[in-house]
């Protein structure tokens, strides 16, 4: 590809179909070295929902572009600058992303099935050189200052005026990377919580400091893969050969059977108590118990007492915690995706950075001793809860008490807050995505 001038993106950031068509046509000519060609510059452009499937966008500049719910299936993006791009819920299946700069990108729930991400840069978004510039090849070397300036603008958008220590982590929460080629990819510090990496090729990939709690790595190739300081709590690694992987100081799950007979018995008796509607077993009293990093996926602790318990970094996906008392509990960075917390008491609980995606925090139906509905309900209580940077995407918070709760930079995209009490709640942060 010839090192010719880059075509500027039209202003404003939203492109009409004819403008986009012109940019793509000139890029195609640039790829082929034909007259009138210019490298596509779609930095900061609003392309939400666009269909760019099967396009040849090698080396294109898409810094900070909005491509949520777009279609990029089979698209060639090798060497493209995708720093800080928004590709949430996008279809990127079978795409070629070799050596792309994806630092700080928003890739939540994107489908990368069978995509080629070999040698891609998925580290946190910072102003240090990355992607093609980091490798010293391609046109980015020639206009490094212009690239840096665009990255600075994208970072400012991502940070919302705040300063993030260590940069903006690349967010692959819930992304589908089944069968993807991530050979030698740099995923240092990336968020891969609940991501599907089944059958992925992670040979010599760097996952140091990455968050993989709840991720599925079943059948993944991990030869030479580095997991130093990675969060592997609740990570599924069935049929994985770890003999050549570098686990270093990885944070691993604490299974229930490693927590002592008293805790095991309390959980077992509580589930019997629930199943028998109070006729057998007994209600669990786990107040103040250290359950940090515990693997409690799918557990039924409804109506249990967990006041002041330490559940930080715990794996609680799909757990049933209806009417549970978690007041003052530490749930920092816990993975509660899909859990049922209807009617739960989370007053003054710490939920900083917790994943509450698709969690039910609505009212719980009150039943009589025989299990029949009474027609009454009990709202969830999050009064004074610390929900800073929590992920509440598509959560149900109907009638929840959020008085004095801190929701700074919480992701409330798609959350149902009908009838919720929000007096004095701190809601500064991420605005919901446009539907």
């Amino acid at each position: 590809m010839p090192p010719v001038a880059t075509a500027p993106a039209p202003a404003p950031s939203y492109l009409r179909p004819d403008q986009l068509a012109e940019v793509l046509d000139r890029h195609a000519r640039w790829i082929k070295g034909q007259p009138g060609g210019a490298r596509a510059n779609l930095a900061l452009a609003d392309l939400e929902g666009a269909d760019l499937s099967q396009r040849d966008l090698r080396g294109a500049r898409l810094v900070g572009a909005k491509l949520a719910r777009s279609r990029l299936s089979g698209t060639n993006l090798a060497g493209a600058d995708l720093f800080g791009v928004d590709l949430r819920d996008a279809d990127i299946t079978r795409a070629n992303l070799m050596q792309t700069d994806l630092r700080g990108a928003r890739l939540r729930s994107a489908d990368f099935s069978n995509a080629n991400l070999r040698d891609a840069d998925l580290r946190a978004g910072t102003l240090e050189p990355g992607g093609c510039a980091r490798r010293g090849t391609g046109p980015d070397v020639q206009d490094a200052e212009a690239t840096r300036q665009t990255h600075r603008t994208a970072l400012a958008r991502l940070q919302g005026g705040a300063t993030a220590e260590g940069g903006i982590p690349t967010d692959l929460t819930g992304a589908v990377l089944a069968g993807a080629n991530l050979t030698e990819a740099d995923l240092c510090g990336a968020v891969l919580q609940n991501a599907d990496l089944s059958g992925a090729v992670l040979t010599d990939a760097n996952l140091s400091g990455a968050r993989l709690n709840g991720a599925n790595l079943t059948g993944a190739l991990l030869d030479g893969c580095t997991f130093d300081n990675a969060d592997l709590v609740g990570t599924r690694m069935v049929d994985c050969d770890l003999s050549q992987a570098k686990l270093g100081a990885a944070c691993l799950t604490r299974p229930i059977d490693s927590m002592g007979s008293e805790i095991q018995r309390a959980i077992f008796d509580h589930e019997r108590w629930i199943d028998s509607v109070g006729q057998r077993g007994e209600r669990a009293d786990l107040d103040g118990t250290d359950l940090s990093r515990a693997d409690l996926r799918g557990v039924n602790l409804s109506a249990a007492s967990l006041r002041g318990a330490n559940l930080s970094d715990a794996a609680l996906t799909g757990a049933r915690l209806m009417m549970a008392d978690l007041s003052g509990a530490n749930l920092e960075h816990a993975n509660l995706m899909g859990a049922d917390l209807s009617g739960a008491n989370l007053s003054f609980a710490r939920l900083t950075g917790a994943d509450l995606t698709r969690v039910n925090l609505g009212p719980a139906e009150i039943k009589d001793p025989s299990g029949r509905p009474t027609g009454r309900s009990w709202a969830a209580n999050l009064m004074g809860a610390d929900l800073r940077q929590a992920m509440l995407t598509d959560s149900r918070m109907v009638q929840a008490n959020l008085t004095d709760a801190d929701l700074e930079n919480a992701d409330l995209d798609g959350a149902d807050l009908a009838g919720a009490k929000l007096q004095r709640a701190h809601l500064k942060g991420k605005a919901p995505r446009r539907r």
Side-chain angles (χ1 to χ4, degrees):
M1 293 180 284
V4 296
T6 298
S13 60
Y14 178 78
L15 273 72
R16 300 191 310 269
D18 60 311
Q19 291 176 313
L20 177 59
E22 182 182 353
V23 171
L24 296 175
D25 179 64
R26 294 184 69 188
H27 185 78
R29 280 181 273 162
W30 177 71
I31 290 285
K32 298 172 184 175
Q34 296 174 346
R39 180 187 183 203
N41 185 355
L42 295 165
L44 308 176
D46 186 347
L47 300 168
E48 184 168 359
D51 187 354
L52 298 171
S53 302
Q54 307 296 327
R55 293 277 185 174
D56 190 343
L57 290 171
R58 281 176 290 169
R61 180 164 294 164
L62 289 153
V63 180
K66 190 171 186 180
L67 282 156
R69 288 173 288 282
S70 61
R71 294 186 292 282
L72 290 149
S73 180
T75 300
N76 190 351
L77 287 155
D81 191 346
L82 296 163
F83 182 98
V85 73
D86 182 357
L87 281 163
R88 289 175 292 180
D89 301 304
D91 178 2
I92 319 169
T93 54
R94 302 182 303 283
N96 182 7
L97 293 128
M98 284 183 66
Q99 297 190 333
T100 52
D101 186 352
L102 280 156
R103 291 175 298 150
R106 293 287 164 267
L107 308 168
R108 180 188 294 257
S109 301
D111 189 350
F112 287 89
S113 298
N114 300 307
N116 185 1
L117 287 138
R118 187 184 182 107
D119 210 16
D121 192 346
L122 290 136
R123 295 173 297 159
T126 66
L127 287 176
E128 67 175 90
C132 292
R134 177 165 61 96
R135 296 174 177 85
T137 60
D140 284 315
V141 176
Q142 299 180 17
D143 57 357
E145 185 51 41
T147 298
R148 184 179 176 84
Q149 192 60 44
T150 311
H151 284 197
R152 184 179 287 111
T153 303
L155 263 185
R157 279 193 178 187
L158 288 168
Q159 293 172 327
T163 301
E165 186 178 349
I168 304 291
T170 301
D171 185 4
L172 283 148
T173 301
V176 179
L177 291 144
N181 183 1
L182 287 149
T183 302
E184 297 180 1
D186 197 339
L187 288 143
C188 185
V191 181
L192 287 145
Q193 194 157 288
N194 299 315
D196 182 1
L197 288 149
S198 57
V201 181
L202 287 155
T203 305
D204 296 322
N206 184 6
L207 284 151
S208 298
R211 290 190 62 186
L212 288 146
N213 44 333
N216 180 13
L217 272 75
T218 300
L221 298 180
L222 304 173
D223 289 354
C225 188
T226 301
F227 290 101
D228 193 34
N229 290 312
D231 184 350
L232 296 172
V233 175
T235 304
R236 189 177 185 189
M237 303 180 88
V238 179
D239 296 328
C240 287
D241 182 357
L242 294 167
S243 61
Q244 301 300 314
K246 303 165 188 174
L247 292 173
C251 185
L252 301 171
T253 303
R254 291 171 59 204
I256 293 176
D257 58 14
S258 72
M259 294 181 200
S261 58
E262 190 174 333
I263 294 175
Q264 293 178 57
R265 174 59 62 182
I267 294 173
F268 175 73
D269 283 348
H270 184 84
E271 291 190 323
R272 289 180 64 214
W273 180 72
I274 290 290
D275 292 341
S276 67
V277 196
Q279 299 302 305
R280 294 183 298 279
E282 62 179 324
R283 179 181 182 231
D285 182 350
L286 294 165
D287 293 351
T289 303
D290 182 7
L291 295 167
S292 58
R293 295 190 293 109
D295 188 351
L296 297 168
R297 288 173 290 180
V299 74
N300 191 348
L301 284 170
S302 298
S305 184
L306 291 148
R307 291 178 297 176
N310 182 6
L311 287 150
S312 58
D313 297 298
L316 287 155
T317 51
R320 286 167 288 174
L321 294 157
M322 294 87 81
M323 301 287 287
D325 188 351
L326 288 150
S327 54
N330 181 1
L331 288 146
E332 293 178 346
H333 301 293
N335 187 353
L336 290 142
M337 185 176 183
D340 191 344
L341 285 151
S342 52
N345 181 6
L346 288 153
S347 57
F348 303 99
R350 285 176 284 166
L351 290 143
T352 311
D355 190 342
L356 295 151
T357 302
R358 295 195 297 277
V359 161
N360 183 6
L361 279 161
E365 185 181 57
I366 297 175
K367 298 180 180 179
D368 64 21
S370 64
R372 289 186 298 236
T374 63
R376 293 179 294 129
S377 62
W378 190 268
N381 184 9
L382 291 115
M383 182 177 183
D386 187 348
L387 288 152
R388 288 174 297 165
Q389 298 174 338
M391 292 174 276
L392 289 152
T393 310
D394 296 323
S395 62
R396 183 172 183 263
M397 305 173 77
V398 175
Q399 298 176 20
N401 182 5
L402 287 155
T403 303
D404 294 314
D406 191 346
L407 289 144
E408 183 176 1
N409 290 320
D411 191 342
L412 291 161
D413 186 30
D416 188 351
L417 289 158
K421 296 179 181 177
L422 295 163
Q423 291 87 345
R424 299 182 301 280
H426 187 192
L427 289 163
K428 179 183 176 183
K430 301 174 183 176
R433 277 181 282 165
R434 188 175 67 216
R435 291 292 177 186

